[in-house]
Amino acid sequence: MTNAKPEYFTSRPPNLNALQASFKPKNKVPRYSTLEQLHDDTEGADYDIADHLPGPLQNGESSNRPLKNRNLMEQAIAFADGKMHYFWEDMCTRYGDAGLSSNVCIPWIQLDECENAWITHLVLLNDPDDAVRIARCHVKKQPNFKHHLLTSIIATTDPDHWMEQYRRETYLMLLAYQHCHHTCVACGQ
């Protein structure tokens, strides 16, 4: 199966992405049949991060599609209820060995800028030391923000574009600071 938009999305209302179009009108939870039809980008991969991090897919369960779909349905319900942070907390405490500081791997529905949807893995990076180390050496962002925030400094997946934005924003902040610095010093005295 490819990442192309499946045929069942062709009659969707305008301005909705593929995943939103599959939601039931009242509770905003995707149909189980929709999850069954999504391409699983992790199947047949040379390296499976889910085998190396705690989570619902550890110990060879990464190829267990019904387990993935159940977990994705739990996520969708939490998201529809505005409780995704509770879902992530539950994943860390249920599967991690360091409580809320546990790094956990969960299944994830990824959307691209063309509104194609597929299943992949999401690593919840919560260990403070790991977060600092990764942030220093890996500036490329995960594409899950790109769908909503486009190419903003928070969501760009191009490290060169991020650096250009960072330098421009830093320059603008310095200009603003230089402009008001003397006033701030005078008020402080």
Side-chain angles (χ1 to χ4, degrees):
M1 195 177 279
T2 65
N3 288 349
K5 294 176 196 165
E7 289 183 27
Y8 57 87
F9 291 142
T10 57
S11 63
R12 71 178 192 261
N15 300 326
L16 291 180
N17 66 44
L19 190 61
Q20 291 168 329
S22 74
F23 289 168
K24 295 177 184 175
K26 292 187 178 181
N27 60 6
K28 304 260 188 212
V29 175
R31 293 180 210 101
Y32 194 83
S33 60
T34 301
L35 295 177
E36 286 289 328
Q37 295 181 31
L38 289 177
H39 170 71
D40 188 344
D41 206 30
T42 65
E43 287 180 4
D46 293 336
Y47 181 81
D48 191 353
I49 189 71
D51 289 336
H52 304 279
L53 286 175
L57 305 177
Q58 196 174 29
N59 300 325
E61 292 293 333
S62 184
S63 60
N64 185 338
R65 187 62 183 259
L67 177 64
K68 277 186 185 179
N69 290 346
R70 279 195 306 275
N71 192 272
L72 291 168
M73 287 297 285
E74 289 177 27
Q75 286 181 49
I77 292 167
F79 183 78
D81 291 343
K83 298 179 179 177
M84 198 62 173
H85 55 293
Y86 291 123
F87 176 81
W88 287 339
E89 177 185 358
D90 180 53
M91 291 290 105
C92 290
T93 55
R94 189 185 323 172
Y95 297 107
D97 55 359
L100 296 179
S101 294
S102 299
N103 297 331
V104 178
C105 181
I106 61 173
W108 184 255
I109 296 176
Q110 184 64 54
L111 296 172
D112 66 11
E113 59 272 5
C114 297
E115 301 176 353
N116 298 313
W118 67 93
I119 296 173
T120 188
H121 290 148
L122 175 71
V123 174
L124 303 176
L125 189 63
N126 294 316
D127 181 88
D129 296 331
D130 289 345
V132 168
R133 182 176 51 82
I134 297 288
R136 283 192 178 137
C137 67
H138 187 66
V139 296
K140 183 175 179 178
K141 306 292 189 260
Q142 182 176 329
N144 62 328
F145 293 119
K146 194 171 185 177
H147 186 73
H148 302 289
L149 301 174
L150 304 177
T151 58
S152 69
I153 196 165
I154 295 171
T156 186
T157 56
D158 179 1
D160 295 331
H161 184 244
W162 177 86
M163 185 55 77
E164 178 187 325
Q165 286 182 308
Y166 176 77
R167 287 182 181 140
R168 185 175 52 241
E169 294 298 322
T170 304
Y171 176 73
L172 291 174
M173 286 189 293
L174 286 173
L175 283 179
Y177 176 73
Q178 288 174 350
H179 178 72
C180 69
H181 174 70
H182 300 295
T183 305
C184 293
V185 170
C187 288
Q189 294 173 349

